[in-house]
Amino acid sequence: GLTRRRWKSWEGAALLIGFLVGAISFCVQRRAYPYHRYPSEAFLLLWIALDLVEALRGHSLRWGKFTQITAALALFYGVFVITIGSTALALRYDWRNQDFQSMLRADLTQLGGASLSGQVQCLDMANGCINALLHMKLVQDTGFLYDCYLYGPPNDPEEQRYRRQFWNAITARPPKVFIVTSYECRTQSDYQYSKLQRWQPLRDLLQSQYRLYADRIPPRPVRWSRSAVAPVGYRIYLRK
């Protein structure tokens, strides 16, 4: 690609810019989750595929048939190993299991449904609380989406900044309802909700100004990819 100066065309420039922006975004976020790599990898893989197709057609070959055979093997691997393998993993996801969503939406409907808009706050990473609010057309009390960064090391300046911003938001306008999921970031569900112990002010706030309304665990395990795991539970706290 670079040797053929494809980057001088608008298509090549778009691929190069997309890859660089994705790579910069990955470095800035400093997170190693797969979805942080997707933007750069998508453009890079497309670039590689275009080069392999050109090599397979015999354009600007330096190593003769060896280059064509290598390109054919690489394309075969990408199509029949990576693509089919990734598709098989994706198909294992049990999207029909909506136990968490159904239970939480039923509880929120019982508590007031639409009247809760702007008065409910999720303490969740990405396990269904926000989706439940979205389907019910409920607006969160704050704009904070992930609670994972609230329970990090106390000496991390970024964690402290995130905590301060969240604390200022919930104390300026205390939500009527807190929903705390059992998911522990980077691990699995913890039905004892020990993550709350790692930030004492929040724990004390829930104990002193809120009462426990519900403590739910969905009945069925959840299949995310290769195997089924324990379902994510949740607790609902109501302001006294």
Side-chain angles (χ1 to χ4, degrees), residues 190-208:
D190 171 22
Y191 301 128
Q192 301 302 314
Y193 295 83
S194 57
K195 63 183 181 180
L196 294 175
Q197 306 300 320
R198 295 200 294 275
W199 190 17
Q200 187 173 347
L202 178 61
R203 182 201 63 186
D204 294 343
L205 176 71
L206 293 176
Q207 289 180 351
S208 62

Side-chain angles (χ1 to χ4, degrees), residues 146-236:
Y146 301 137
D147 74 335
C148 187
Y149 312 127
L150 296 175
Y151 315 114
N155 58 346
D156 188 326
E158 288 300 315
E159 302 281 356
Q160 291 301 311
R161 180 184 61 83
Y162 194 83
R163 284 186 180 185
R164 285 195 303 271
Q165 291 179 346
F166 179 74
W167 184 259
N168 291 337
I170 62 172
T171 52
R173 189 178 63 181
K176 179 180 179 181
V177 178
F178 264 110
I179 303 166
V180 185
T181 64
S182 63
Y183 180 74
E184 276 277 7
C185 294
R186 307 176 186 91
T187 56
Q188 293 184 358
S189 283
D190 171 22
Y191 301 128
Q192 301 302 314
Y193 295 83
S194 57
K195 63 183 181 180
L196 294 175
Q197 306 300 320
R198 295 200 294 275
W199 190 17
Q200 187 173 347
L202 178 61
R203 182 201 63 186
D204 294 343
L205 176 71
L206 293 176
Q207 289 180 351
S208 62
Q209 300 186 26
Y210 290 79
R211 64 178 178 88
L212 182 63
Y213 170 80
D215 190 344
R216 314 283 193 206
I217 300 176
R220 297 181 295 173
V222 178
R223 183 177 294 276
W224 293 108
S225 56
R226 295 182 182 275
S227 59
V229 298
V232 174
Y234 64 88
R235 286 178 178 176
I236 296 179

Side-chain angles (χ1 to χ4, degrees), residues 34-180:
Y35 58 83
H36 291 113
R37 303 193 301 267
Y38 288 160
S40 59
E41 290 180 351
F43 289 103
L44 180 61
L45 289 174
L46 181 56
W47 188 298
I48 292 173
L50 291 174
D51 276 353
L52 290 174
V53 170
E54 285 196 3
L56 189 62
R57 291 174 175 173
H59 294 170
S60 300
L61 294 181
R62 292 185 178 182
W63 302 99
K65 290 295 182 182
F66 175 79
T67 303
Q68 289 183 306
I69 294 174
T70 302
L73 291 175
L75 288 170
F76 179 88
Y77 182 83
V79 172
F80 294 100
V81 178
I82 296 178
T83 302
I84 294 179
S86 299
T87 302
L89 286 176
L91 290 176
R92 291 183 181 181
Y93 171 64
D94 185 11
W95 57 268
R96 296 180 181 84
N97 186 338
Q98 298 293 319
D99 294 345
F100 181 98
Q101 291 272 337
S102 299
M103 294 171 63
L104 180 54
R105 290 166 67 179
D107 279 328
L108 293 176
T109 299
Q110 187 71 24
L111 290 172
S115 66
L116 295 177
S117 189
Q119 302 185 67
V120 58
Q121 177 64 45
C122 290
L123 288 173
D124 183 27
M125 179 60 179
N127 298 281
C129 185
I130 295 295
N131 285 342
L133 299 188
L134 177 64
H135 283 96
M136 296 182 69
K137 299 182 179 179
L138 299 179
V139 178
Q140 266 207 138
D141 182 77
T142 75
F144 289 82
L145 298 180
Y146 301 137
D147 74 335
C148 187
Y149 312 127
L150 296 175
Y151 315 114
N155 58 346
D156 188 326
E158 288 300 315
E159 302 281 356
Q160 291 301 311
R161 180 184 61 83
Y162 194 83
R163 284 186 180 185
R164 285 195 303 271
Q165 291 179 346
F166 179 74
W167 184 259
N168 291 337
I170 62 172
T171 52
R173 189 178 63 181
K176 179 180 179 181
V177 178
F178 264 110
I179 303 166
V180 185

